[in-house]
Amino acid sequence: EPNRYPTNTIAYQLYIRGTFNLDERGYDEVGSMRQMAMTIDLFQQAIKADPNYAPAHAQLAFAYAWTALFIEPGKTNWAELAREEIKRSQELGPDIAETHLARALLLWSAYEGYKNEEALKELFIAKQLNPNSTHGEMVGILAHVGLDDRASQELQRGLQIDPTSQSLADLTMILPYLRVDADAWLRERQKYGNGPALLPPWYYIRKGRLDDAQKSL
């Protein structure tokens, strides 16, 4: 990819360390903010060493976006910081896959109005630019919009490319849910004659009964 390797070796080393840390990102404010703060600092140091290193800007944007969505969602400044870094990385390297990954993450959120289709388009662009990208966002969005088989395929392929990825390992917990047939599950449950009037929210969502899903929630 263009601008993959900066002329400044210190910037590249910091970028690699930041990318490794980013793969171990978490989902909660208490346990994950310290890890993310270290990750953000590494990318900021890489940019300080080489201000024109586009991938570092792109990964910093992703780190900001992830923090905005999953770690400190109540603080809107993270999303704005992500937008600024997305813009900068786009200016420096328009063909950087990580820029599209960061943009997809924001699009797939309340900050941009949950634009699933646009987010998927960004992820497919990222995949074209870097076929070996193993970010789990493709899996997450495909699963959320009901494309279970494709989500499962993307997850398995990602694990083949990078079997040590912590972020992909975290996503393996959704595999059983991707393969659940809602009606088969209900028939099996009814055999034993148990269960309340309202079924789990995911059942109604799969059946398109959103009002019932809201009641269940």
Side-chain angles (χ1 to χ4, degrees):
E1 288 186 33
N3 301 318
R4 172 57 58 191
Y5 303 102
T7 55
N8 188 314
T9 56
I10 294 176
Y12 183 64
Q13 291 171 5
L14 290 164
Y15 170 79
I16 292 298
R17 289 172 58 194
T19 299
F20 178 82
N21 268 29
L22 187 61
D23 184 61
E24 297 186 340
R25 59 190 178 272
Y27 294 87
D28 64 286
E29 182 174 354
V30 176
S32 301
M33 193 59 229
R34 183 179 178 184
Q35 169 79 8
M36 187 56 76
M38 294 170 55
T39 303
I40 288 170
D41 182 64
L42 286 166
F43 289 132
Q44 288 175 335
Q45 289 185 57
I47 290 168
K48 185 176 180 179
D50 185 353
N52 295 322
Y53 187 33
H57 285 280
Q59 290 286 60
L60 179 58
F62 188 95
Y64 284 148
W66 185 271
T67 305
L69 268 69
F70 299 114
I71 301 179
E72 290 188 340
K75 297 183 179 180
T76 57
N77 62 304
W78 292 117
E80 190 54 43
L81 288 169
R83 292 187 186 100
E84 291 173 4
E85 290 300 325
I86 288 171
K87 180 180 178 182
R88 183 61 178 148
S89 63
Q90 183 70 39
E91 292 170 348
L92 293 170
D95 295 325
I96 301 296
E98 288 81 0
T99 304
H100 296 278
L101 291 170
R103 185 179 291 122
L105 198 58
L106 272 188
L107 286 167
W108 183 51
S109 75
Y111 299 102
E112 299 292 346
Y114 301 108
K115 298 174 182 175
N116 290 328
E117 185 175 355
E118 292 183 29
L120 282 171
K121 287 179 181 178
E122 291 292 331
L123 290 171
F124 285 123
I125 292 172
K127 189 173 181 179
Q128 289 175 346
L129 292 169
N130 181 9
N132 290 326
S133 172
T134 58
H135 276 272
E137 285 58 55
M138 178 82 81
V139 178
I141 299 179
L142 287 169
H144 273 78
V145 300
L147 298 174
D148 294 356
D149 290 343
R150 186 64 184 271
S152 181
Q153 291 169 9
E154 289 292 337
L155 180 54
Q156 297 296 347
R157 182 178 179 278
L159 288 169
Q160 289 173 357
I161 294 171
D162 188 0
T164 64
S165 170
Q166 183 60 49
S167 61
L168 289 176
D170 290 342
L171 282 169
T172 58
M173 64 183 179
I174 74 171
L175 279 177
Y177 298 98
L178 294 181
R179 298 183 179 131
V180 171
D181 181 302
D183 289 327
W185 174 86
L186 181 59
R187 287 194 297 272
E188 189 66 23
R189 180 167 178 159
Q190 288 173 335
K191 287 180 182 179
Y192 301 96
N194 61 357
L198 282 174
L199 298 169
W202 67 263
Y203 172 84
Y204 295 116
I205 291 171
R206 282 178 175 266
K207 299 299 292 180
R209 295 164 58 182
L210 302 186
D211 288 343
D212 288 331
Q214 183 65 47
K215 292 176 184 177
S216 180
L217 284 169

